[in-house]
Amino acid sequence: MFRTAELGRTVSKEDFEAVAGPLRIELIELQQKLRSAGFPVIVIFAGVDGAGKSETINLLNEWMDPRWIVTRAYGQPSDEERERPHFWRYWRDLPPRGRIGLFLSPWYSQPLLERAYGQIDDARFDERLSRIAAFEKELADDGALILKFWMHLGKKEQKKRLKTLEKDPNESWRVTERDWTHWEMYEDFIEASERLIVQTSVAHAPWQIVEGSDNRYRSLTVLTAIRDAALRHLESQKMRNKLVHTLDAKQRKQEEQVEQAAVEAGADVEHASGRQILSRLPSILTALDMDKSLSKKEYSARLQKGRARLNGLYRAAKAKGISSILVFEGWDAGGKGGAIRRLTAAMDARDYQVIPVAAPTDEERDHHYLWRFWRHLSRAGRATIYDRSWYGRVLVERVEGFATQEEWKRAYSEIRDFEEQLVEHGSVLVKYWFHVTPEEQLARFKKREETPYKRWKLTDEDWRNREKWGDYEAAVNEMVERTSTHACPWTLVEGDDKRFARVKALETYCEALERRLDGEK
């Protein structure tokens, strides 16, 4: 595989200077076009020590405007990074749409080192690579252009390169004992690297192996590849946007034609489409017993007992560095806020953060939709409480048309992967859906209208959402069906009685903490 990068190819100074000026202008102009593009460019540099990764990144920052470039290099994770899922530090550093991200030794470095040193076997190595491939696919599906350069040197050439750097007083600091250790393990690294490239070089994120012995050849190869790929991606984005708009318009027209034909035939539109029949069948939500309730006396007793229980459990989890992620979803006026307040009353405010999720900000819209949730994950032993969450992609964004069908359909697998990473890291994940009947919601809306200090909670959007109850209910049922797994189950909360709902939420969290703490014994 690497023989084609050990041919000793060079570019003369004259040839390089002949194309350097025009290429530099093209890259600057390209960068300005990218600033208004709807996607980020993610460039990954990996490969053999001494093959010119850092020098190439420096040249890119020199030739282009560094204000619109995100440059990140990675070593061993810090304490702050180790206390969160592994990919947290990479999600945090992703460039927004319109910018270029240059990543040196990112998510490939650690699994490669562990395999070369024999700390993991091929099966575990493949698992790690599969996680990386899923991560890159999520970014590519969201529109990102991903370019991966493997900078290569043969063993003899690498030794020569390291010796040359050692002799240069200004460059000797680059060479460490670790570099020489890796040189002695060259064959082990090459074997692992070949497996890595084969497993993760795909159409949306291909590897390009670059011979690194000649600085001018290496630089020219990388810079022209970035230019050409970015220009192709800009053009393909235009074509894709035009196609999406055409398909959306065609789908809307077909739906209108079906409804019109039903009306002309004198049939009920809902019945004609089959939704009326399906709506009469039991579903995950309609099967709930909404008559469940607690008396004031029982509520008071269980709430007091539950808070004492939670206080001890969350302190024990904090001592062991076990984090919690609580997801509160549900109907408008479903009781999420009240349940959160009763739960957090048993905790120290320094140990949790409540993240109220509304429409994304401009900064958040410029990233993958999961970015804003990754960035809020707390350190070890603390709790992150999401008042609405990443499930907005398959609920409100789906129903209101803020996400395309392609986007919300693939979100199920993206969400499952995200949650699996949280649980694999050791976090306690609890997901609540607070369900109320339409009648109870209406009663709560009217009460909010009559209560001055609650009136702000009621918006025109809440009333509009009631008109789409059936669409939202179908979305919730599919959401639960597609994302309630053994490791990350949904807790459906019968919420017509607020007292019952609050106690169920509290006790469910306690049970989840107990299971996690028992697993530590």
Side-chain angles (χ1 to χ4, degrees):
M1 175 181 291
F2 293 113
R3 289 181 180 178
T4 57
E6 297 179 8
L7 301 177
R9 285 172 288 200
T10 62
V11 172
S12 69
K13 184 178 179 180
E14 293 75 16
D15 287 342
F16 183 79
E17 290 179 348
V19 298
L23 178 57
R24 186 169 185 173
I25 294 172
E26 287 179 319
L27 288 170
I28 283 290
E29 292 176 347
L30 172 63
Q31 190 177 22
Q32 296 309 307
K33 291 180 182 178
L34 290 172
R35 285 182 59 190
S36 60
F39 62 87
V41 179
I42 298 170
V43 188
I44 298 163
F45 293 91
V48 173
D49 296 331
K53 298 183 289 291
S54 298
E55 292 88 340
T56 306
I57 287 177
N58 290 339
L59 184 62
L60 280 163
N61 275 284
E62 179 185 341
W63 279 25
M64 303 175 82
D65 191 333
R67 293 175 299 174
W68 311 109
I69 295 177
V70 176
T71 303
R72 296 290 183 269
Y74 298 92
Q76 289 297 315
S78 65
D79 290 342
E80 181 186 21
E81 292 167 337
R82 276 193 292 268
E83 290 180 12
R84 293 177 169 91
H86 178 68
F87 276 82
W88 175 80
R89 61 173 175 167
Y90 307 125
W91 276 97
R92 178 189 59 179
D93 290 343
L94 289 175
R97 305 184 201 282
R99 296 199 183 183
I100 299 172
L102 307 179
F103 292 88
L104 177 61
S105 300
W107 38 92
Y108 287 100
S109 179
Q110 194 60 37
L112 176 63
L113 285 169
E114 291 176 5
R115 184 66 195 101
Y117 275 90
Q119 296 170 351
I120 56 175
D121 58 15
D122 281 343
R124 179 58 181 153
F125 188 41
D126 290 346
E127 288 178 14
R128 301 280 293 276
L129 296 179
S130 294
R131 174 73 73 197
I132 291 170
F135 171 54
E136 292 178 348
K137 186 175 188 303
E138 285 183 23
L139 302 180
D141 284 344
D142 195 51
L145 169 61
I146 302 175
L147 299 170
K148 302 188 295 193
F149 295 100
W150 189 272
M151 318 298 267
H152 183 72
L153 291 173
K155 189 172 184 180
K156 290 182 179 179
E157 191 62 38
Q158 184 187 26
K159 182 178 182 180
K160 179 182 176 182
R161 172 70 170 162
L162 294 176
K163 288 284 189 182
T164 300
L165 288 173
E166 276 188 330
K167 292 176 182 178
D168 187 335
N170 297 320
E171 299 289 342
S172 60
W173 61 272
R174 293 180 180 274
V175 183
T176 66
E177 291 184 12
R178 184 170 180 263
D179 293 324
W180 284 114
T181 299
H182 288 177
W183 177 78
E184 292 174 354
M185 299 171 61
Y186 185 88
E187 286 75 16
D188 297 320
F189 274 96
I190 289 300
E191 182 180 352
S193 298
E194 287 183 347
R195 192 179 189 94
L196 180 152
I197 291 172
V198 168
Q199 299 271 26
T200 60
S201 190
V202 292
H204 58 263
W207 280 105
Q208 181 168 341
I209 301 174
V210 180
E211 188 169 0
S213 57
D214 181 74
N215 293 341
R216 289 186 289 270
Y217 171 81
R218 180 189 65 235
S219 300
L220 191 59
T221 300
V222 172
L223 271 57
T224 54
I226 292 174
R227 179 201 61 191
D228 295 345
L231 288 172
R232 287 195 301 270
H233 206 69
L234 281 166
E235 189 60 33
S236 66
Q237 185 197 44
K238 291 179 184 177
M239 296 176 63
R240 185 179 183 279
N241 289 341
K242 188 181 295 185
L243 178 61
V244 168
H245 291 151
T246 301
L247 291 175
D248 284 348
K250 185 177 181 181
Q251 183 178 357
R252 284 194 299 269
K253 187 175 181 179
Q254 288 175 341
E255 290 174 353
E256 290 171 0
Q257 289 173 342
V258 169
E259 292 182 0
Q260 183 62 31
V263 171
E264 291 174 357
D268 181 89
V269 175
E270 288 291 311
H271 181 77
S273 65
R275 288 195 294 270
Q276 190 183 67
I277 296 174
L278 293 174
S279 68
R280 294 199 297 265
L281 300 175
S283 67
I284 293 171
L285 296 182
T286 60
L288 294 174
D289 181 3
M290 300 305 293
D291 292 328
K292 290 184 177 181
S293 63
L294 292 177
S295 67
K296 288 185 178 180
K297 182 178 180 180
E298 187 178 6
Y299 169 68
S300 179
R302 287 176 65 175
L303 183 65
Q304 184 177 6
K305 181 179 179 181
R307 282 177 172 171
R309 178 184 175 195
L310 176 57
N311 185 269
L313 289 168
Y314 110 81
R315 290 183 182 278
K318 179 182 177 182
K320 291 181 176 293
I322 298 173
S323 300
S324 294
I325 296 99
L326 306 181
V327 174
F328 284 79
E329 291 283 359
W331 297 105
D332 297 325
K336 300 182 297 298
I340 290 172
R341 289 193 296 274
R342 271 66 182 182
L343 188 148
T344 55
M347 304 167 69
D348 189 321
R350 293 170 295 184
D351 297 326
Y352 68 84
Q353 58 175 340
V354 179
I355 310 298
V357 177
T361 64
D362 290 343
E363 181 188 22
E364 291 166 342
R365 272 193 292 269
D366 278 339
H367 290 83
H368 189 285
Y369 75 96
L370 287 176
W371 175 81
R372 63 171 169 162
F373 304 109
W374 271 98
R375 70 194 297 221
H376 285 302
L377 294 178
S378 60
R379 298 190 68 165
R382 300 174 187 174
T384 307
I385 302 171
Y386 291 97
D387 185 354
R388 299 203 184 278
S389 68
W390 43 92
Y391 283 100
R393 175 53 61 109
V394 296
L395 293 175
V396 64
E397 292 185 40
R398 166 185 173 172
V399 175
E400 303 298 336
F402 299 141
T404 65
Q405 188 176 79
E406 179 188 355
E407 288 172 335
W408 65 257
K409 280 192 171 183
R410 70 167 179 259
Y412 296 119
S413 61
E414 294 171 345
I415 288 169
R416 287 195 301 268
D417 183 68
F418 173 39
E419 293 178 349
E420 284 172 9
Q421 292 183 65
L422 301 179
V423 174
E424 287 174 4
H425 181 67
S427 299
V428 173
L429 174 63
V430 184
K431 305 186 297 188
Y432 301 101
W433 174 264
F434 280 73
H435 186 61
V436 293
T437 59
E439 296 76 18
E440 177 62 23
Q441 186 193 57
L442 180 59
R444 293 182 185 181
F445 278 8
K446 289 181 176 179
K447 188 173 182 180
R448 284 182 175 181
E449 280 185 321
E450 299 166 358
T451 307
Y453 66 87
K454 289 187 176 182
R455 198 172 294 150
W456 66 272
K457 293 184 177 182
L458 191 60
T459 66
D460 292 340
E461 186 178 339
D462 295 328
W463 289 108
R464 285 196 301 271
N465 289 345
R466 275 184 62 81
E467 297 174 3
K468 298 181 179 180
W469 186 281
D471 293 331
Y472 274 101
E473 189 171 62
V476 173
N477 275 286
E478 186 170 3
M479 172 192 78
V480 174
E481 180 182 319
R482 301 282 296 274
T483 62
S484 193
T485 64
H486 177 73
C488 312
W490 276 99
T491 297
L492 304 180
V493 181
E494 301 86 344
D496 273 6
D497 181 77
K498 290 183 178 180
R499 293 190 289 266
F500 177 85
R502 291 165 181 172
V503 167
K504 181 171 182 177
L506 178 61
E507 293 178 348
T508 298
Y509 182 31
C510 289
E511 291 164 4
L513 284 171
E514 285 175 340
R515 287 194 297 271
R516 180 66 180 84
L517 289 165
D518 286 344
E520 288 286 302
K521 295 177 181 178

